Amino acid sequence: MTDHDVPLDFGDPADLDTLRRELRAWLAEHPLPRRRHGEPMAEFLHRWHRQLHSGGWVGLDVPERYGGRGLTALHQVAVSDELGACRAPGVPRIGYLAHALLEFCSEEQRARLLPRMLSGDDVWCQGFSEPGAGSDLAGMSTYARRSADGGHYLVNGQKLWTSYAQYSDYCLLLARTDRAAPAHSSITAFALPLNRAGVTVRPLRAANGDDEFCELFLDDVRVAVDERVGAEGDGWPLAMTTVNYERNALDTGHLSKYGLLLERLRRQLREHRGALPDGLVSAVGRCVVDYQVLVAHARRRTAERLAGRAAGPESSVDKLLMTRAEQRLYETALAVLPEELHRDGGAVYGEYLYSRAASVYGGTSQIQRNIIAKRLLHLSSAS
Ligand SMILES: Cc1cc2nc3c(=O)[nH]c(=O)nc-3n(C[C@H](O)[C@H](O)[C@H](O)COP(=O)(O)OP(=O)(O)OC[C@H]3O[C@@H](n4cnc5c(N)ncnc54)[C@H](O)[C@@H]3O)c2cc1C
């Protein structure tokens, strides 16, 4: 695979081919940004987000009236694919939040919030997990109490693992609004401005040196009724929409990157076949199979999206496949190319470390298996 081969060429329709050529021309004139020494990852990604947006490369499948380009999921896939093939950082990871806002916001909220989210004027984070409610999200205890006059809520509680909250303007926040009602029908979503009185964000440093995670403390935070997203009790379906898109195989930029890394592994095998243990040859073989399965899967999901089918519980299958492919690939890369540990400031090692988190973020692998068992295979918990 060369730098300009992309795995998801659908025998592209003419306009998609034009779009790919336009993006390549734009990238030639707008070189990829380099992360400055000591620059936080979130700030680097934000600079890249703004640069991509200035070229019209964010939100391709979002309607034009909300700041997107009104094209299809296939166009979005093609852009993601091209960016991965030239080792660019991916498209901003806002697609899954944008889908949730598109589906649940009022028309006024969509028009106000989405264009600024797509442009990067407002940075968003996701306030779902809590210290006692990660896998068991429905067990969350953050509580939004409606005022006696009904005009606002007072929110109290704590969120955890809120990625890049310290760089964010808004949080898509989940809180319980009725302690007596069943868990799944008593959760409500809010678009919370993070500069609101009573919000405290405390960053945590991870093993890769990044300050991605935060704790978010909410202490009598006043939230207006028109900052609620959807109706009271819509929080659970909104959360499921969000994670179904988050787990979906459609962020194809990572596939192009896997393809490039895989090609380096194959080259190494060809050139040093005799010096490498047989176990490594089979490990690379397994990575090739994982990669081909993922490509086939991403094609299938793209076709489904084009046919108007929303992401559903089958995204859990994608998430498991992506996790396995990514973790095996980086483990194998470190064994086959040990010098990669230190090249480019240890970039591949950093990706290896981050790949370990794939079996946790967006819902752990055990939880994905539970979802597949219950919702796709309809197995009861006793079987
Ligand atoms: C890189 C990264 C970014 C993240 N970003 C965000 C973010 O921006 N916003 C946000 O809200 N959250 C975020 N998270 C949190 C993430 O969604 C949670 O970590 C995840 O849902 C697991 O929850 P937990 O950590 O509380 O683990 P727990 O729920 O405590 O689980 C601990 C272990 O028990 C297992 N387990 C739990 N219940 C079951 C069960 N019923 N059956 C079988 N096994 C079970 C789990 O699989 C896991 O191995 C992020 C996490 C990571 C790693």
Side-chain angles (χ1 to χ4, degrees), residues 247 254-255 258 262 283-295 297 315-333 352 354-361 363-366 368-369:
R247 294 168 185 161
H254 62 270
L255 279 184
Y258 293 176
L262 210 44
V284 173
R286 278 196 295 272
C287 292
V288 172
V289 173
D290 286 345
Y291 170 75
Q292 287 170 345
V293 169
L294 268 185
V295 168
H297 228 67
S315 297
S316 293
V317 177
D318 302 21
K319 173 81 183 354
L320 282 181
L321 291 174
M322 288 189 288
T323 298
R324 188 182 66 182
E326 185 171 336
Q327 294 186 341
R328 267 196 198 159
L329 179 61
Y330 285 105
E331 277 163 24
T332 308
Y352 161 78
Y354 204 82
S355 74
R356 308 314 303 167
S359 41
V360 179
Y361 60 68
T364 66
S365 292
Q366 289 83 358
Q368 304 319 310
R369 290 193 189 96

Side-chain angles (χ1 to χ4, degrees), residues 126-129 134-135 160-163 212-213 354 357 360-364 366-367 370:
Q126 179 185 337
F128 291 8
S129 308
S135 301
L160 185 62
W161 312 125
T162 322
S163 294
E212 168 169 350
F213 305 120
Y354 204 82
V360 179
Y361 60 68
T364 66
Q366 289 83 358
I367 295 304
N370 284 352

Side-chain angles (χ1 to χ4, degrees), residues 297-311:
H297 228 67
R299 283 174 179 275
R300 182 172 160 190
R301 293 291 175 246
T302 307
E304 286 171 1
R305 193 71 62 74
L306 286 175
R309 192 164 148 195

Side-chain angles (χ1 to χ4, degrees), residues 175-235:
R176 192 169 298 295
T177 40
D178 184 345
R179 283 180 168 140
H184 292 95
S185 56
S186 62
I187 294 171
T188 301
F190 300 92
L192 172 70
L194 285 173
N195 60 2
R196 190 63 54 82
V199 175
T200 307
V201 176
R202 193 191 295 161
L204 303 166
R205 190 162 294 273
N208 63 358
D210 198 6
D211 58 353
E212 168 169 350
F213 305 120
C214 290
E215 293 175 292
L216 187 68
F217 298 93
L218 304 153
D219 196 6
D220 276 343
V221 179
R222 196 181 157 107
V223 184
V225 169
D226 65 6
E227 290 172 323
R228 192 181 67 211
V229 176
E232 278 194 12
D234 275 354

Side-chain angles (χ1 to χ4, degrees), residues 5-72:
D5 283 337
V6 283
L8 284 174
D9 189 331
F10 278 75
D12 291 353
D15 73 319
L16 208 64
D17 193 42
T18 309
L19 187 92
R20 285 184 187 273
R21 276 191 279 107
E22 279 171 9
L23 176 53
R24 287 176 195 173
W26 184 84
L27 285 168
E29 284 177 17
H30 299 80
L32 302 179
R34 283 200 160 272
R35 193 172 170 190
R36 299 178 191 124
H37 183 67
E39 183 179 28
M41 180 58 92
E43 288 182 6
F44 166 67
L45 292 175
H46 190 231
R47 272 199 296 129
W48 173 233
H49 179 163
R50 306 284 283 212
Q51 184 172 323
L52 272 181
H53 181 265
S54 72
W57 302 111
V58 179
L60 275 86
D61 56 349
V62 173
E64 285 175 284
R65 63 186 179 284
Y66 307 131
R69 284 182 61 176
L71 300 171
T72 68

